[in-house]
Amino acid sequence: MTDAVVSVDRITKRFAGHTAVDSLSLSVPAGGVFGLLGPNGAGKSTTIRMIMHIIEPDEGQVTLFGGPGTGRELSARIGFLPEERGLYPRMEVLEHIIFLGEAKGLRRRDARVRALRWLDRLGLGDWGKRKVQELSKGMQQKVQFIGTLLHDPDLVILDEPFSGLDPVNLQVMKDVVVEIARSGRTVLFSTHIMDQAEKMCDRIAIIARGEKVVDGRVADIKAEGGTRHVFLSFAHDSAKASPILADRTLVARVDDSGATAEAELAVGANPDRLLRALMDAGVGLTRFEVAEPSLESIFIAKVGQQAATAPAQEKAHA
């Protein structure tokens, strides 16, 4: 037995000579939001399909909830939103959500009560009697999102859930995901948009070309992921600061425009030392901001720009 809700042990999947996922291992702990990140074609959707036992790995093993049972057999405990949306366009919205709830074992009466509550919450309360095909793409996405959550699953798996959403609906669905995690349930979601995961996830794994390149807590990854940057604005100009910014024990690289500067701290350098040196030199500052490396910059540093922007290949092998 294990405390991991999802345990992936060295899984590999090949399609016609292409290795979509290569000896990948992951452990998704109970509670919180776990992000599976990477560019299009990295192997994210293939990994999720193996976790759900929609397809079987050629090698390796997937374990859910620390015990026996496949994604199909444990369906009542899992809510899954695939990247490819699938709704019946001629069904009424409310009836469709009720149908999805009944498919997960809910009684019709309970499914209806929950569906109405979710429709109101996501701003679709007036659309329950409309046909699915009358809804916008974003609205349809929210309907399928409701169907994913209706039965209160212990594990929620979302494959690129936010693609195509406008900023308002994007924030609404993000809030729901965070709320689920705070309730003690587990969310596993994939995305190629790094800044989304950076703001939401407790833990992440980044994959490229089917292989894992980063795995762990977001805070730890950012702390270990590279040198920090300091953004400076000067009250007058940077003349007094120039000798200090040229000190390679403090600053590895600087982009100085005269009124502002972006300094990459040297490895092991403390930003407090840089600030003290500037103050002692009488440099007038209107801004001194320390920024940790972003997940995107860490990813690019790990795998290179080409891998970070790799073209989509995965869908061709789905």
Side-chain angles (χ1 to χ4, degrees), residues 20 91 127 133 163 179 200 209 220 223 244 253 300:
M91 285 188 72
W127 293 82
Q133 64 190 9
S163 60
E179 179 183 300
M200 295 177 60
R209 303 188 187 97
D220 295 339
I244 298 164
R253 182 187 60 82
I300 292 172

Side-chain angles (χ1 to χ4, degrees), residues 161-291:
F162 306 128
S163 60
L165 290 176
D166 63 77
V168 173
N169 286 319
L170 173 63
Q171 189 59 53
V172 169
M173 289 178 64
K174 282 183 177 180
D175 290 344
V176 172
V177 169
V178 171
E179 179 183 300
I180 291 169
R182 286 177 178 170
S183 74
R185 291 179 284 166
T186 306
V187 179
L188 166 63
F189 86 94
S190 76
T191 183
H192 65 281
I193 305 174
M194 298 283 172
D195 65 341
Q196 288 182 356
E198 190 166 356
K199 296 171 184 175
M200 295 177 60
C201 294
D202 308 294
R203 302 180 66 91
I204 61 162
I206 301 178
I207 61 176
R209 303 188 187 97
E211 298 182 353
K212 183 173 68 177
V213 294
V214 175
D215 185 10
R217 290 175 51 84
V218 172
D220 295 339
I221 290 170
K222 293 183 70 175
E224 299 169 1
T227 57
R228 290 176 289 180
H229 287 223
V230 177
F231 296 90
L232 304 162
S233 295
F234 303 104
H236 303 291
D237 59 51
S238 60
K240 289 184 178 180
S242 294
I244 298 164
L245 297 179
D247 183 349
R248 292 298 172 253
T249 67
L250 289 174
V251 176
R253 182 187 60 82
V254 63
D255 181 9
D256 185 354
S257 67
T260 63
E262 178 182 347
E264 179 184 327
L265 291 175
V267 175
N270 188 321
D272 292 340
R273 279 185 55 212
L274 175 60
L275 178 59
R276 174 58 61 189
L278 291 168
M279 293 294 95
D280 289 347
V283 177
L285 294 172
T286 58
R287 180 189 182 194
F288 185 92
E289 179 182 353
V290 181

Side-chain angles (χ1 to χ4, degrees), residues 106-117:
L106 294 178
R107 293 183 302 174
R108 180 175 179 82
R109 181 178 178 181
D110 291 338
R112 178 182 175 83
V113 170
R114 295 184 187 193
L116 289 170
R117 184 170 65 243

Side-chain angles (χ1 to χ4, degrees), residues 5-24:
V5 171
V6 179
S7 180
V8 173
D9 184 19
R10 292 168 291 180
I11 59 173
T12 296
K13 189 65 183 179
R14 304 179 187 90
F15 298 97
H18 169 70
T19 302
V21 177
D22 189 2
S23 193
L24 178 66

